[in-house]
Amino acid sequence: MRGTWIGWRNAVLSSPRFQDFAARCWLTRPVAHARARGLFDLVAGFVYAQTLAACVDLGLLDLLAEGPLETGVIARHCDLSPDSALRLLRAAASLGLVEPFGAAWVLGSNGAALRGNGGIAEMVAHHHLLYADLADPAALLRRGGGGGALAGFWRYAEHPGDGDTAAVSAYSRLMAASQPLVAAQILRSYRFAQHRRMLDVGGGEGRFVESVGNHVSGIDLAVFDLPAVGVRAQARLAAAGLGARTTIHGGNFLLDPLPAGHDLITLVRVLHDHDDAPALALLRAIHAALPPGGTLLIADRWRARAAQSRRATPILACICSPWGRGDPGLPAKSTRCCAPQASPRCGRWQPRCR
């Protein structure tokens, strides 16, 4: 029955005669116009993303955050011709990134929100790598991903456990910049004060551990990540005044045993980067390291709401494809890897979506 309905619906919607009728009829015209706008956004999405990338690369949003500026002044600051600057400003205004203010321009509502979350701007700044991999999306899907510019940036995607300080610095810095908003959500959702010792596996530069340390005073902290990344975490946490409370463990969590003695182990934005087999191996290693009654806290991408899924799922899928591995945030991974049968003597599995 549903297949018959879908076939009839698609035949009607693809009919030029019906499209003309829907655009002219007063009853269907609002729906037709809304559908047309949605289709236009679908076609023009790449242009929107490139407009945002140009604003970030040229420092336009930071420039306008200081106050209204005329087009000529903006052109000089961004090293553009006045005509090019005006084209960019008009395109950015259509996206709410900037807005006209008399004869000048000011930061728009979307631009102000973006500046308030530095992690978004950092992500946009590295999107040229993703676009390079997606230049021929059909070829990318046929070869199965991996081996591209994005996999080279996220070094652990193709060289797990490898990388000196220079090789890991770029992605470590990006993850640290995009961490505060995630950390704030986790801190609102879970009571860390009930634990004595916490280990953040794959904790990068220690930004999440820093947030927990500033939020909870009575918990000992630890980070487990690649040795080169651990050096960066040590420096960050020492500068934050948490060096005495924090232990850095260097190693490869896919191969090396995890240190024991922590009643809380956290995985923040880690599982979705890995296929089921290594994710399951990691969870078993965590289970072996946890004491009886210990807790594993997972904070990762979920596809919990349909409205969010329509936007997030294709983005996550496109990011995982160039990596050549990982799962685009589907709840099925949690069911496959985190259910009690994933490891013997496992405790309760209590998913919470935010």
Side-chain angles (χ1 to χ4, degrees):
M1 179 66 72
R2 184 168 180 265
T4 302
W5 154 251
I6 291 175
W8 177 83
R9 178 202 65 189
N10 291 348
V12 171
L13 292 178
S14 62
S15 166
R17 182 176 179 181
F18 175 77
Q19 292 174 3
D20 179 67
F21 164 79
R24 289 185 291 104
C25 176
W26 67 271
L27 186 62
T28 57
R29 188 182 303 126
V31 177
H33 286 179
R35 293 276 184 171
R37 287 193 295 269
L39 187 59
F40 181 84
D41 287 341
L42 182 64
V43 174
F46 179 74
V47 178
Y48 297 164
Q50 291 295 71
T51 299
L52 174 58
C55 291
V56 171
D57 291 345
L58 295 171
L60 176 61
L61 304 182
D62 292 332
L63 182 64
L64 290 179
E66 299 175 4
L69 292 174
E70 294 184 351
T71 303
V73 177
I74 295 171
R76 288 193 296 273
H77 275 278
C78 296
D79 194 24
L80 299 173
S81 69
D83 286 344
S84 294
L86 184 58
R87 281 196 295 271
L88 175 61
L89 288 164
R90 286 172 173 168
S94 71
L95 302 178
L97 299 172
V98 306
E99 59 186 68
F101 185 74
W105 297 87
V106 295
L107 198 62
S109 57
N110 286 342
L114 190 146
R115 284 195 77 253
N117 186 343
I120 297 178
E122 290 285 346
M123 292 294 291
V124 171
H126 99 296
H127 276 179
H128 66 282
L129 301 170
L130 175 61
Y131 298 155
D133 289 338
L134 293 177
D136 189 345
L140 173 65
L141 292 169
R142 289 190 179 107
R143 76 168 186 263
L150 197 62
F153 178 84
W154 298 96
R155 186 172 180 84
Y156 64 81
E158 293 194 327
H159 305 280
D162 186 20
D164 55 19
T165 302
V168 303
S169 62
Y171 76 73
S172 296
R173 186 167 55 249
L174 174 58
M175 290 299 291
S178 59
Q179 189 72 269
L181 182 59
V182 176
Q185 294 174 340
I186 299 171
L187 289 169
R188 287 195 298 267
S189 303
Y190 188 77
R191 189 166 61 89
F192 286 82
Q194 63 187 305
H195 299 285
R196 296 181 300 103
R197 302 188 69 204
M198 166 188 147
L199 173 66
D200 189 26
V201 176
E205 293 190 1
R207 192 67 181 265
F208 178 64
V209 163
E210 179 184 349
S211 298
V212 174
N214 291 332
H215 186 76
V216 182
S217 60
I219 185 171
D220 293 332
L221 308 166
V223 175
F224 188 97
D225 213 313
L226 300 178
V229 179
V231 171
R232 299 177 64 87
Q234 188 87 57
R236 167 181 284 278
L237 294 167
L242 297 172
R245 294 174 53 191
T246 307
T247 303
I248 306 298
H249 301 276
N252 179 355
F253 59 63
L254 295 178
L255 300 175
D256 302 323
L258 300 176
H262 303 87
D263 61 327
L264 172 64
I265 294 181
T266 56
L267 284 176
V268 181
R269 297 190 298 175
V270 172
L271 279 184
H272 78 274
D273 283 351
H274 302 280
D275 293 329
D276 283 357
L280 184 55
L282 173 57
L283 290 168
R284 284 176 171 154
I286 290 172
H287 181 265
L290 279 171
T295 299
L296 167 61
L297 175 63
I298 300 171
D300 220 313
R301 296 183 173 108
W302 300 89
R303 194 174 69 178
R305 297 175 177 87
Q308 296 173 347
S309 174
R310 285 194 294 270
R311 294 165 176 80
T313 298
I315 295 172
L316 295 173
C318 284
I319 290 174
C320 287
S321 291
W323 279 346
R325 68 180 208 180
D327 188 310
L330 301 180
K333 177 180 282 290
S334 67
T335 302
R336 293 191 301 266
C337 294
C338 301
Q341 61 267 30
S343 185
R345 298 177 288 106
C346 190
R348 291 180 298 168
W349 165 236
Q350 294 180 309
R352 300 179 185 177
C353 294
R354 290 289 187 272

